[in-house]
Amino acid sequence: MSTPALEREARYTWGGDEFLFVEVDEAMSLAANFKVMTLASKLSGAALEGVTDICPANASLLIRFNPDVLAPSVLEATVRGFEQDAAGGGAETLATRIVEVPVWYDDPFTAEVAQRFREGFHQEPSGTDLDYAAKVNGLTDAAEFIRRHHEQPWLVSMVGFVAGLPFLFQLVERQKQLEVPKYLSPRTDTPRLTVGHGGCFGAIYSVRGAGGYQMFGVAAAPIYDPAQTLADFKDFMVFFRPGDIVKFKPVTEQEYAAIQAEVENGTFRYRQAPVVFELNKALEDPERYNRELMEALDGM
């Protein structure tokens, strides 16, 4: 099945002498992001001498290169060739992984911070972020929102803004997307590993700091480990990669504490499994394909 985002030609622009910017689409969509991931994967696999960094984003790709080693015309021609392959049906699958992320929803850490930043910061100062998220999505209560949040997987559409922070796009039909406005004014504090949401994007705050996303809970294990003390970080201090698929798993306070103990003694490992993501299946029947993806974790 062809999609406009795969067939539409990207816009190529230059940033000074060292950057090529490839805009696949003006808006985020699964197909547009899939094309970005495909271009990034093919360019990385080509191992062109002179390419120093490849930064995939929601609907665009930024490439840094050394023009003294790699001619700009050669780089552009190479990427355009990959794009033509994608338009011709060469971007239908992507080798990636699905990861289970344990989350303590409605936790006391984000609740305390949320109460400190209500008046003048939040749309509804008298409530909670979860209550507000449920209301704007037309759901019965916070419990229903939490269920909707974790019952379907999410795609890591890009990583950045701060070190290791993943932007997450839920793999559901557009009309079922959870959408929640950001705070009216950004907070000056957000707990580390906060699971938040702004617009149609979810996120996990890799470090403590400022933020404007609604806060729903905290992830139980680190996603950014500069010391690389855990086995999941042996290759790189940032855990998530663009194209990863995330399945949130609700945990209790006791389960959260047990995971924290595993992290402390260095034994924690994320449950994860390799998968081949198929765009056509995801677009044709998201719920059925999501079940297929999540079954990959059952044997782990």
Side-chain angles (χ1 to χ4, degrees), residues 56-67:
N58 295 323
S60 63
L61 180 69
L62 183 66
I63 305 160
R64 186 173 188 178
F65 68 103
N66 183 344

Side-chain angles (χ1 to χ4, degrees), residues 147-148 151-153 171-173 175-176 281-295:
R147 178 182 61 79
R148 287 274 301 276
E151 69 180 0
Q152 301 293 338
L171 296 173
V172 295
E173 298 172 356
Q175 62 269 26
K176 295 182 180 180
K281 286 186 177 181
L283 295 175
E284 289 171 357
D285 192 343
E287 290 194 16
R288 180 177 179 178
Y289 187 53
N290 287 347
R291 289 194 297 270
E292 183 180 324
L293 288 172
M294 291 184 289
E295 286 174 358

Side-chain angles (χ1 to χ4, degrees), residues 126-143:
S126 61
T128 69
D129 289 9
L130 278 166
D131 290 336
Y132 176 68
K135 177 181 176 180
V136 298
N137 282 278
L139 305 179
T140 303
D141 53 23

Side-chain angles (χ1 to χ4, degrees), residues 28-50:
M28 166 68 189
S29 69
L30 178 56
N33 187 254
F34 193 88
K35 181 174 177 178
V36 169
M37 299 304 160
T38 299
L39 294 178
S41 178
K42 287 183 176 293
L43 184 59
S44 177
L48 288 181
E49 186 178 3

Side-chain angles (χ1 to χ4, degrees), residues 69-83:
V69 177
L70 178 62
S73 59
V74 173
L75 174 60
E76 181 176 350
T78 301
V79 180
R80 286 187 182 275
F82 295 150
E83 184 184 5

Side-chain angles (χ1 to χ4, degrees), residues 3 5 8 20-21 28 30 40 50 60 83 103 156 180 185 201 222 240 244 267 272 277:
T3 63
R8 185 185 303 114
L20 173 61
F21 180 69
M28 166 68 189
L30 178 56
S60 63
E83 184 184 5
V103 177
V156 176
V180 188
S185 181
F201 288 105
F240 286 114
D244 281 347
T267 61
Q272 55 185 291
F277 186 82

Side-chain angles (χ1 to χ4, degrees), residues 28 30 57 100 119 134 149 227 271 274 283:
M28 166 68 189
L30 178 56
E100 183 179 85
E119 292 289 344
H149 191 269
R271 290 186 68 227
L283 295 175

Side-chain angles (χ1 to χ4, degrees), residues 66-252:
N66 183 344
D68 293 329
V69 177
L70 178 62
S73 59
V74 173
L75 174 60
E76 181 176 350
T78 301
V79 180
R80 286 187 182 275
F82 295 150
E83 184 184 5
Q84 290 173 1
D85 290 342
E92 297 176 354
T93 63
L94 186 68
T96 183
R97 60 179 176 170
I98 183 167
V99 181
E100 183 179 85
V101 176
V103 177
W104 182 9
Y105 286 98
D106 200 13
D107 67 289
F109 311 118
T110 57
E112 185 276 328
V113 172
Q115 286 305 308
R116 285 196 279 120
F117 293 92
R118 302 311 287 181
E119 292 289 344
F121 289 86
H122 201 275
Q123 292 87 345
E124 293 195 357
S126 61
T128 69
D129 289 9
L130 278 166
D131 290 336
Y132 176 68
K135 177 181 176 180
V136 298
N137 282 278
L139 305 179
T140 303
D141 53 23
E144 184 180 359
F145 181 87
I146 291 172
R147 178 182 61 79
R148 287 274 301 276
H149 191 269
H150 72 74
E151 69 180 0
Q152 301 293 338
W154 301 69
L155 174 73
V156 176
S157 59
M158 62 175 286
V159 177
F161 189 70
V162 297
L165 184 152
F167 285 80
L168 300 154
F169 186 78
Q170 197 169 31
L171 296 173
V172 295
E173 298 172 356
R174 183 171 291 275
Q175 62 269 26
K176 295 182 180 180
Q177 286 280 346
L178 296 172
E179 296 187 14
V180 188
K182 294 188 291 185
Y183 274 43
L184 296 175
S185 181
R187 303 175 302 274
T188 56
D189 190 18
T190 306
R192 173 176 171 265
L193 296 176
T194 289
V195 175
H197 202 103
C200 70
F201 288 105
I204 304 174
Y205 285 71
S206 53
V207 296
R208 182 179 181 179
Y213 278 17
Q214 307 287 335
M215 300 180 291
F216 304 146
V218 288
I223 61 172
Y224 174 58
D225 181 10
Q228 297 178 262
T229 55
L230 296 175
D232 287 323
F233 296 86
K234 65 179 180 179
D235 296 325
F236 194 42
M237 67 181 68
V238 171
F239 179 70
F240 286 114
R241 302 187 292 264
D244 281 347
I245 299 168
V246 171
K247 174 65 176 74
F248 290 120
K249 177 188 177 182
V251 296
T252 64

